[in-house]
Amino acid sequence: MKLKSVLLAMSVALSFNAYAQAPIVIKFSHVVATDTPKGQAAERFKQLAEKATNGRVKVEVYPNSQLYKDKEELEALQLGAVQMLAPSLAKFGPLGVKEFEAFDLPYIFPSKTALYNVTEGEIGKGLMKKLEPKGITGLAFWDNGFKVMSANKPLHEPSDFKGLKMRIQSSKVLDAQMRALGANPQVLAFSEVYQALQTGVVDGTENPPSNMYTQKMHEVQKYVTVSNHGYLGYAVIVNKKFWDGLPADIRTALDKAMKEATTFEKAIAQRDNDLALEAIKKAGKTTIYTLSVKEQADWRKALLPVQKDMEGRIGKDLISAINKEAAK
Ligand code: LMR
């Protein structure tokens, strides 16, 4: 009898201990492959976060839309089914934060320096603040890079897009961009793009080379044009209730891990995209074309009016503030 109560007390103590030491789990869902800038940085954040918290935090990374597709992952974050995401800045419109679509405006950033003036300054902070009423806290901006266009026909002049069905992300700015080129934009989740291209549901698409290569889109696209007409980046976001409820020392450690992961991400993004373009070339299925100076001017002429057309959606003041920062 005595032994039984001792054993019972021991097992209660053990399970209490196990409970007390159960790690805080961060489910980090994203839609791209692990060997992309975002995929690698998510892994790096996991390592840094688990080390900095001595295992009190466990980060589970779910890449490649394994858990959720584009739209579902934002809903899952708000519901608390996952704690962390890094959606592209083109995917915040359905949340009601249309201002993030400013990043999709054609030719708004002449360089990465211009982009960082925006993301790392007051404009970036102001944009992240807009997420708070949605139950979301923004932690960092991550890079991918400037986009290329692809199709099964050469895309040299804006007129080459006429009538093409082009897959876009959910951004209304991207919709306007494709229409300005005379194409028919079609919103599709990232996980559906390869198959849509393969089966001819859409004719072409846009993305930085790292996304194109890791999803094997080049295997079903005969032509890629290096146009750098627009930018693709991410906001790393967490469920606000979860974040605010963390012990302060854990939050501080995670913030530091995120800063380091962000520095890493920015350092690898350009190189990864350069390597991916090389790899697409080497695979030999796709002709890669770089626009001539005249063609670049024609694209700009066709696409720059989108900045003005989208003032009603994004806000005139925000667009001119970004242009001002970008020009510094
Ligand atoms: C896309 O949907 O095309 C990309 O933004 C996916 C991503 O997250 O890079």
Side-chain angles (χ1 to χ4, degrees), residues 28-32 38 69-71 73-74 85-95 97-104 128 131 140-145 147 167-171 174 188-190 206-208 211 231-237 265:
F28 187 163
S29 166
H30 68 81
V31 301
V32 296
K38 174 162 68 176
K69 295 200 249 179
D70 295 327
K71 194 160 174 285
E73 70 171 12
L74 278 161
L85 307 175
S88 83
L89 301 164
K91 290 177 185 165
F92 286 77
L95 258 189
V97 196
K98 303 174 293 217
E99 291 85 347
F100 276 71
E101 292 178 6
F103 290 94
D104 302 326
M128 291 300 205
L131 299 172
F141 287 101
W142 282 1
D143 257 350
N144 194 322
K147 292 179 282 189
R167 179 270 170 173
I168 55 163
Q169 307 174 75
S170 57
S171 159
L174 297 180
L188 283 178
F190 186 61
E206 60 168 4
N207 239 308
N211 272 345
Y231 170 74
L232 178 81
Y234 308 105
V236 187
I237 54 177
E265 208 271 349

Side-chain angles (χ1 to χ4, degrees), residues 226-286:
V226 180
S227 46
N228 297 325
H229 59 281
Y231 170 74
L232 178 81
Y234 308 105
V236 187
I237 54 177
V238 279
N239 178 294
K240 179 169 162 36
K241 204 163 149 217
F242 167 79
W243 190 249
D244 293 346
L246 289 172
D249 62 324
I250 295 273
R251 209 170 35 239
T252 305
L254 292 179
D255 253 330
K256 189 162 171 277
M258 183 52 69
K259 279 206 176 73
E260 287 176 39
T262 300
T263 304
F264 165 79
E265 208 271 349
K266 287 182 170 160
I268 63 166
Q270 186 61 50
R271 188 203 61 199
D272 268 25
N273 277 305
D274 294 345
L275 289 174
L277 194 63
E278 270 309 305
I280 292 174
K281 213 180 274 178
K282 260 209 193 110
K285 296 197 167 147
T286 318

Side-chain angles (χ1 to χ4, degrees), residues 270-305:
Q270 186 61 50
R271 188 203 61 199
D272 268 25
N273 277 305
D274 294 345
L275 289 174
L277 194 63
E278 270 309 305
I280 292 174
K281 213 180 274 178
K282 260 209 193 110
K285 296 197 167 147
T286 318
T287 304
I288 297 184
Y289 182 75
T290 302
L291 294 179
S292 70
V293 173
K294 172 179 180 299
E295 287 159 352
Q296 275 179 43
D298 292 344
W299 282 53
R300 290 181 84 86
K301 194 163 162 232
L303 290 174
L304 274 175

Side-chain angles (χ1 to χ4, degrees), residues 22 96 127 132 142-143 148 150 194 235 246 272 276:
L127 286 169
E132 303 266 326
W142 282 1
D143 257 350
V148 301
S150 72
Y194 174 85
L246 289 172
D272 268 25

Side-chain angles (χ1 to χ4, degrees), residues 74-253:
L74 278 161
E75 288 160 6
L77 184 81
Q78 287 182 297
L79 291 170
V82 293
Q83 288 69 40
M84 190 174 279
L85 307 175
S88 83
L89 301 164
K91 290 177 185 165
F92 286 77
L95 258 189
V97 196
K98 303 174 293 217
E99 291 85 347
F100 276 71
E101 292 178 6
F103 290 94
D104 302 326
L105 288 165
Y107 303 113
I108 191 114
F109 301 111
S111 65
K112 282 276 174 79
T113 311
L115 166 81
Y116 297 149
N117 287 346
V118 171
T119 51
E120 285 163 21
E122 287 310 309
I123 299 177
K125 269 196 210 122
L127 286 169
M128 291 300 205
K129 269 234 152 60
K130 289 188 184 295
L131 299 172
E132 303 266 326
K134 310 288 174 191
I136 292 172
T137 301
L139 298 183
F141 287 101
W142 282 1
D143 257 350
N144 194 322
F146 292 98
K147 292 179 282 189
V148 301
M149 288 277 199
S150 72
N152 280 322
K153 60 175 277 199
L155 301 169
H156 296 184
E157 284 290 347
S159 56
D160 295 327
F161 285 83
K162 200 165 166 34
L164 289 187
K165 283 176 280 168
M166 298 293 286
R167 179 270 170 173
I168 55 163
Q169 307 174 75
S170 57
S171 159
K172 291 280 184 278
V173 169
L174 297 180
D175 183 283
Q177 170 199 277
M178 290 302 184
R179 287 184 198 282
L181 291 170
N184 297 322
Q186 308 240 340
V187 176
L188 283 178
F190 186 61
S191 55
E192 291 161 5
V193 181
Y194 174 85
Q195 211 186 357
L197 290 169
Q198 188 190 34
T199 55
V201 167
V202 289
D203 302 307
T205 190
E206 60 168 4
N207 239 308
S210 59
N211 272 345
M212 211 159 257
Y213 181 66
T214 53
Q215 297 296 320
K216 299 190 183 356
M217 292 181 203
H218 62 290
E219 293 185 358
V220 287
Q221 293 279 267
K222 291 197 179 80
Y223 296 91
V224 163
T225 295
V226 180
S227 46
N228 297 325
H229 59 281
Y231 170 74
L232 178 81
Y234 308 105
V236 187
I237 54 177
V238 279
N239 178 294
K240 179 169 162 36
K241 204 163 149 217
F242 167 79
W243 190 249
D244 293 346
L246 289 172
D249 62 324
I250 295 273
R251 209 170 35 239
T252 305

Side-chain angles (χ1 to χ4, degrees), residues 24-38:
I24 298 164
V25 175
I26 297 180
K27 289 190 179 167
F28 187 163
S29 166
H30 68 81
V31 301
V32 296
T34 302
D35 53 347
T36 53
K38 174 162 68 176

